Amino acid sequence: MLCFAAETGGEKGHVAQATAAFEWPRFSYFRGGIRSAAPYAAVTPHQLWQVVHSPRFAAATAWLRQAPAGSEQRDERKKALDYVTPAGTFAPTRANGNLQTPSGLLVLDFDHLPDVTAARATLLSDVLLQPGLVLLFTSPGGEGLKVLLEADPAASHLDNFQALASYLAGRYGPELQPDSCGKDVARACFVCHDADAWLNPRFGG
């Protein structure tokens, strides 16, 4: 059974203090792969980081990466992974019209990067992006990045995505462009293993 550590209790004072002053964003977690449309739980960025950082999905991630890149076999293995909807909680199923509570976050998928390590360093050091970066980890296939960011609460999900994509295009060109599917509010973000996953300390890391 998948268990998530509580955000309060057992975490040494600083998390409890932060919780009192900051309401953690929450989004839906789905077990059993992309064909599971009903959410299993609502989780926080810290809880997702715990899952990604832990060895829970290490074997599944290694197994996926053994399949040839771009193959149907790899795609099917990815679809079997658990996933989240960073934009918020959904009910009764994941669908654009079923958003219950927005999280204030969005996810950017960077696929087929020529140098994942360099791209990671670039995003983490970008002075405009960095204050809003929440969570960053290597994608299941090992050739991309998943990046959760805080969104402008006064703008729509689509406007936020387009603004970020436009900024990245202007600053870094086509080498660092997010997948256009990120404009979908119900966008699924697959969970995998990354021992070096990065979490903004403001979110309980």
Side-chain angles (χ1 to χ4, degrees):
M1 180 177 179
L2 179 63
C3 296
F4 296 102
E7 290 297 333
T8 58
E11 280 287 344
K12 295 184 180 178
H14 76 281
V15 173
Q17 292 171 7
T19 304
F22 182 75
E23 184 176 351
W24 306 102
R26 293 184 181 274
F27 42 85
S28 293
Y29 188 104
F30 298 77
R31 293 185 67 186
I34 199 65
R35 294 177 180 83
S36 299
Y40 168 73
V43 301
T44 66
H46 183 216
Q47 289 169 328
L48 177 58
W49 175 83
Q50 287 179 309
V51 173
V52 172
H53 184 262
S54 79
R56 175 177 174 81
F57 285 97
T61 301
W63 185 60
L64 184 154
R65 292 176 185 176
Q66 288 171 7
S71 67
E72 182 177 346
Q73 186 181 38
R74 176 176 285 206
D75 188 52
E76 287 302 310
R77 291 179 183 183
K78 182 178 73 171
K79 288 179 181 178
L81 295 170
D82 290 358
Y83 68 94
V84 295
T85 49
T89 58
F90 289 78
T93 60
R94 181 180 73 94
N96 285 335
N98 289 345
L99 178 65
Q100 298 296 297
T101 305
S103 66
L105 309 177
L106 57 76
V107 61
L108 298 182
D109 285 332
F110 297 93
D111 300 321
H112 311 300
L113 295 169
D115 189 332
V116 173
T117 301
R120 173 191 170 101
T122 295
L123 292 169
L124 287 175
S125 63
D126 187 293
V127 294
L128 291 181
L129 285 182
Q130 212 286 330
L133 287 175
V134 176
L135 176 64
L136 182 151
F137 60 94
T138 301
S139 61
E143 300 162 342
L145 292 169
K146 305 282 188 183
V147 184
L148 274 63
L149 302 100
E150 293 180 299
D152 179 356
S156 69
H157 179 88
L158 177 60
D159 287 344
N160 276 310
F161 176 82
Q162 291 178 333
L164 283 165
S166 178
Y167 167 72
L168 290 165
R171 185 167 179 82
Y172 301 110
E175 291 78 17
L176 201 56
Q177 284 299 286
D179 188 323
S180 62
C181 291
K183 66 182 183 296
D184 185 351
V185 72
R187 174 70 170 174
C189 174
F190 288 103
V191 177
C192 63
H193 172 66
D194 181 2
D196 297 317
W198 178 89
L199 178 70
N200 188 321
R202 287 196 295 116
F203 290 84

